[in-house]
Amino acid sequence: MNHFEYKNGHLTAEDVRLGDIAAEIGTPFYAYSTATLSRHYQIFADALRGMNALVCFAVKANSNIAVIRSLARLGAGADVVSGGELTRALKAGVPAAKIIFSGVGKTDEELSLALSIGIKQINVESVPELEAISRIASANGVVAPVALRINPDIDAGTHAKITTGTLENKFGIEWTLAHEVYSRASQMPGIEVKGLAVHIGSQLHDLEPFRKAYERMGDLVAMILKDGLNIETLDLGGGFGIPYGDETAPVPNVEEYAQIVRETLGNLGPGLDIEYIFEPGRMIAGNAGVLVSSVIYVKEGATRNFVIVDAAMNDLIRPTLYGAYHEIVPVDEPGEGVDVIEADVVGPICETGDIFAKAKSMPRPRPGDLLAVRTAGAYGAVQSSTYNTRPLVAEVLVNGDKFHVIRPRLGVEEIISRESIAPWQLTD
Ligand SMILES: *Cc1c(COP(=O)(O)O)cnc(C)c1O
C-alpha cells in the first residue's frame, strides 16, 4: 500500500496534489510520501516482533537526508556503503551506534572516518580489508567492531546486475573460508569480531534463496561456537522484493520472511543473545516515491507513437540499466471517451536506451500533461545525473498536506560554474 491516490480525479501524494507541486517547482521532480516510508518501516519492524532486531535502512536506495531522517525518527539505523553515505546518515540524525558500514572497497580514509565516529559495525568483505582495519584501528588506539560478510554462493534468482551472493560476484568472503577467517580475525589486533553478515541480492521475489543463505549462516554459527568463539550479531542484509506492477506471481510478504528468519536462525543455542540486523532499502523506499514529468511532444508515426516527456534516463535509470518495468499513470485522470493510443514513453536524451515504457497503452496525452512514474522511490534519485547537461532532478517530501523541496533542482548555470577553462586556453 502507498499514499499516492486519485482524489477528485487528480493524483495526490497524501493530501498534496502532484499538480500543485509541479505548478510551484516545475518538472521533473521526485515526490516522496512520509506516511508510506513510515508504514513500510513499521510493517518490517512489526514482522520482527519478539526478536532483538535492528532495522538499518539501506541508504543507497534513497539517500536524501530528509528521507533518512523520516526513518531515523522511527528508530531506524542506517546501512551505508561509502564515507559519503556515512556522513549523510549522521547529518540526518542516525546515531553512530546504529550505523553499519558495508561495501567491497572501503578506503583507508573511509575506514578511519567510520572508526572515529564510533560506528556500530563494519561488515568486512575480504581478508585484505580485515588487515587494513586492524592496521588503522591499532594505529588509532581503537578497537574496530566488525562482522564478516559471507558469500553463501546462493543464486538469488534476481536480475544479474543486482545478484550479489554467488561466487561469481565480488561480494563477501567465500562461506567455505569464513569459519577460518573468523577465528583468524578474533586474534587480530584492533579487531573485535561481532558476527556474520550476508546479503545475496536485491528485488528477491522468491524467499527460498533467503532460506538457503540463512541456513548456511546457521551452519557457520555452529562451527564458530564450537571453536569457543562468540557471536553477537547476525546481519541478514536486505533484498526484499516489491511489486512494480508487472509481476506474474504475488510478491511475498514480510511476515513470511520473518518466519524464515525465525526458523533458520531464531534458535541457535542456549544462552546465546544475538542481535539481528536487517538492511532493507527498496522495500521501504520503493513505493514511497513517484517521478513526475510533463509531456513535451506526442509524436505519432506510421508504425510507432512516441510520448516524449521531460524526464529522462539521467533522472531515472532503472529501465535503461536493468530493463526495469515502472507503471506510468496520468496525474489527471482522463475523462470519459478519451482516445487510447499505444506509445513508447521516452525522454529527450540522445540514447536509444532512454525509454521509460515500450508499447504502452495509454489515454492520448497532450503536451503539458503530467505523467507519474510509480514506484520510483528506491534507486531513482540516487542514481540521477546531469547527463546531456540536464538540470539535476528535484526532490520533494510530502507529509499530510505539507510539502518541502528536500533537494532543489540543480540548474545549468550551477552545473557549468564548477568547470573552468585551463589557463593556457585563455590566450590566443
Ligand atoms: C543494496 C544493499 C542493501 C539493500 O538492498 P535492497 O534490495 O534495497 O533491500 C542491503 N545491504 C547491502 C549490503 C546492500 O548492498
Side-chain angles (χ1 to χ4, degrees), residues 196-215:
L196 299 170
V198 74
H199 172 76
I200 56 175
S202 195
Q203 186 54 6
L204 270 76
H205 274 207
D206 185 1
L207 295 178
E208 276 317 296
F210 282 124
R211 182 189 294 279
K212 289 194 188 125
Y214 297 166
E215 278 169 357

Side-chain angles (χ1 to χ4, degrees), residues 58 60-61 79 81 102-103 125 149 164 171 199 201-203 237-240 279-283 378-379:
K60 78 173 189 285
D79 168 49
V81 293
S102 304
E125 303 224 7
R149 174 172 175 180
T164 58
F171 301 97
H199 172 76
S202 195
Q203 186 54 6
F240 198 81
E279 305 170 341
R282 189 190 308 271
M283 186 272 165
Y379 305 104

Side-chain angles (χ1 to χ4, degrees), residues 104-109 111-112 115 122 124 126-140 144 146 184 188-191:
V104 282
K106 307 177 194 81
T107 63
D108 282 12
E109 200 184 348
L111 290 168
S112 299
L115 292 174
I122 301 174
V124 178
S126 65
V127 172
E129 182 188 343
L130 196 54
E131 287 162 353
I133 297 172
S134 171
R135 166 173 51 78
I136 295 166
S138 304
N140 290 299
V146 308
R184 229 175 104 194
M188 289 169 82
I191 298 281

Side-chain angles (χ1 to χ4, degrees), residues 6 8 14 39 58 99 123 150 156 172 178 315 343 345 349 382 390 395 398 415 418:
Y6 289 99
N8 298 319
E14 304 187 25
R39 184 186 146 82
I99 301 180
N123 290 352
I150 59 160
D315 304 306
V345 180
I349 285 189
V382 282
R390 292 165 47 83
E395 295 175 272
V398 172
I415 295 167
R418 304 182 51 252

